[in-house]
């Protein structure tokens, strides 16, 4: 998934499954300041619908324009992240190859206004696949962690702050899961307003479905599992937003899935031996 990218497809193309949702993020804010999007006034206690209705597949009905917006933002995060990583390595050996790759990433872009989410999904899958293959072929699979960190630095600046604390990065994971048509649910229970912890379970990860479809079509996969990259990317994004990530992978009757939790970083304990100076 994820943030959950294309899951290790080693060749670009239009093999993507239909998209399902996206991001209604606000535009850029003032320089050096986070963007805050107003999500609506909180409901009165007891006014929330039952958890089964409120907490499962929350973003399934998001408009197509918002889905397209998130695909574009994710493409920007991944490409800008790789540019940042290459610059940090002070290695100009592969610049010509990188420029050629960029032309392939941004070839035949849909119209920014009229292009639908399926078209922007195709562009993201193609770009993710090309960048993943470029990086692994030149620097090895271990470089994926450094790429995920570089992407997270971009993500920190471009992903709006919605004012929900730990729920912000968790809802971003949910929106990405929705892009692939995955099934997911937030933690059950009443809304306590606690901004220090939020959790999400992806009960069926549709990235695995996409990879299997691609494999049957003869596409060569770079990675044995999409989780190899996805877990690094999502963990880095959560940390970039100032929270501590934890996750676990799972398989069962509903297929492959995972659980994610974001918690507020613990402040260091005060040293009892320290005394206040007068």
């Amino acid at each position: 998934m994820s943030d959950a990218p294309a899951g290790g497809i080693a060749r670009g193309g239009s093999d993507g499954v239909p998209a399902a949702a996206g991001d209604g993020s606000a535009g850029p804010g003032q320089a050096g300041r986070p963007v805050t999007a107003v999500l609506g006034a909180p409901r009165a206690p007891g006014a929330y619908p039952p958890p089964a209705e409120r907490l499962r597949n929350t973003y399934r009905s998001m408009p197509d324009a918002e889905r397209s917006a998130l695909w574009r933002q994710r493409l920007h995060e991944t490409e800008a992240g790789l540019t940042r990583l290459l610059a940090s390595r002070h290695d100009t050996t592969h610049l010509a190859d990188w420029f050629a790759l960029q032309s392939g990433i941004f070839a035949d872009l849909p119209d920014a206004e009229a292009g639908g989410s399926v078209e922007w999904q195709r562009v993201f899958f193609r770009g993710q696949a090309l960048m993943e293959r470029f990086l692994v072929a030149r620097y090895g699979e271990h470089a994926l962690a450094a790429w995920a960190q570089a992407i997270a630095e971009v993500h920190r600046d471009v992903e709006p702050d919605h004012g929900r604390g730990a729920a912000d990065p968790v809802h971003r994971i949910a929106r990405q899961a929705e892009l692939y048509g995955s099934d997911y649910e937030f933690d059950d229970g009443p809304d306590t307003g606690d901004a220090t912890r939020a959790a999400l379970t992806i009960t069926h990860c549709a990235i695995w479905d996409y990879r299997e479809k691609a494999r049957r079509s003869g596409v060569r996969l770079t990675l044995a599992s999409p989780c190899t990259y996805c877990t690094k990317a999502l963990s880095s994004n959560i940390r970039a937003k100032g929270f501590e990530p934890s996750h676990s992978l799972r398989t069962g009757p509903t297929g492959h899935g995972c659980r994610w939790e974001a918690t507020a970083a613990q402040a260091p304990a005060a040293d009892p031996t320290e005394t206040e100076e007068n």
Side-chain angles (χ1 to χ4, degrees), residues 17 177 180-183 202 204-211 256:
V17 295
Y180 297 96
S182 298
D183 293 324
I202 297 175
H204 176 82
C205 177
I207 295 178
W208 285 85
D209 302 338
Y210 168 73
R211 282 170 52 89
H256 294 278

Side-chain angles (χ1 to χ4, degrees), residues 5-278:
I9 304 302
R11 184 188 72 199
S14 57
D15 299 318
V17 295
D23 185 5
S25 300
Q30 298 177 5
R33 298 185 62 184
V35 179
T36 299
V38 179
L39 300 181
R43 306 189 201 189
Y48 292 92
E53 299 175 21
R54 176 167 63 91
L55 301 175
R56 293 180 181 174
N57 302 324
T58 301
Y59 294 98
R60 192 123 299 176
S61 61
M62 291 183 71
D64 191 72
E66 296 185 7
R67 303 174 188 177
S68 299
L70 183 53
W71 284 120
R72 290 194 295 270
Q73 180 178 327
R74 296 188 64 205
L75 179 64
H76 172 52
E77 290 173 354
T78 54
E79 189 276 337
L82 187 49
T83 297
R84 182 184 294 239
L85 176 60
L86 294 176
S88 71
R89 288 178 174 265
H90 308 289
D91 180 6
T92 60
T93 305
H94 305 297
L95 281 182
D97 292 341
W98 174 231
F99 297 151
L101 183 70
Q102 286 177 308
S103 68
I105 293 171
F106 297 117
D108 304 321
L109 292 180
D111 183 88
E113 298 297 329
S117 62
V118 173
E119 288 78 15
W120 282 104
Q121 179 191 43
R122 173 186 59 81
V123 171
F124 175 82
F125 280 165
R126 178 183 65 192
Q128 172 72 24
L130 291 172
M131 288 183 279
E132 196 170 83
R133 182 173 59 183
F134 174 90
L135 186 65
V136 172
R138 288 161 179 78
Y139 298 106
E141 192 171 305
H142 65 276
L144 292 175
W147 185 27
Q149 179 58 43
I151 292 172
E153 293 169 3
V154 178
H155 170 83
R156 179 188 58 224
D157 296 331
V158 302
E159 174 68 14
D161 175 14
H162 298 286
R164 295 170 295 189
D168 274 356
V170 167
H171 275 259
R172 166 62 189 256
I173 294 174
R175 295 198 302 271
Q176 289 189 191
E178 185 63 45
L179 289 180
Y180 297 96
S182 298
D183 293 324
Y184 54 91
E185 56 187 36
F186 296 96
D187 269 12
D188 290 344
D191 191 336
T192 62
D194 182 9
T196 65
R197 176 192 171 278
L200 171 85
T201 299
I202 297 175
T203 56
H204 176 82
C205 177
I207 295 178
W208 285 85
D209 302 338
Y210 168 73
R211 282 170 52 89
E212 182 58 24
K213 176 184 176 182
R215 187 189 64 78
R216 289 197 300 264
S217 300
V219 175
R220 176 169 54 89
L221 304 180
T222 302
L223 305 177
S225 163
C227 307
T228 302
Y229 173 83
C230 190
T231 53
K232 294 180 176 65
L234 296 184
S235 295
S236 296
N237 281 357
I238 293 172
R239 289 192 188 96
K241 285 298 185 178
F243 297 93
E244 291 298 323
S246 62
H247 73 274
S248 59
L249 304 179
R250 54 187 64 193
T251 57
T254 58
H256 294 278
C258 54
R259 175 176 170 79
W260 286 89
E261 185 170 331
T263 56
Q266 296 294 320
D271 187 344
T273 63
E274 292 184 357
T275 58
E276 183 177 352
E277 294 184 2
N278 295 324

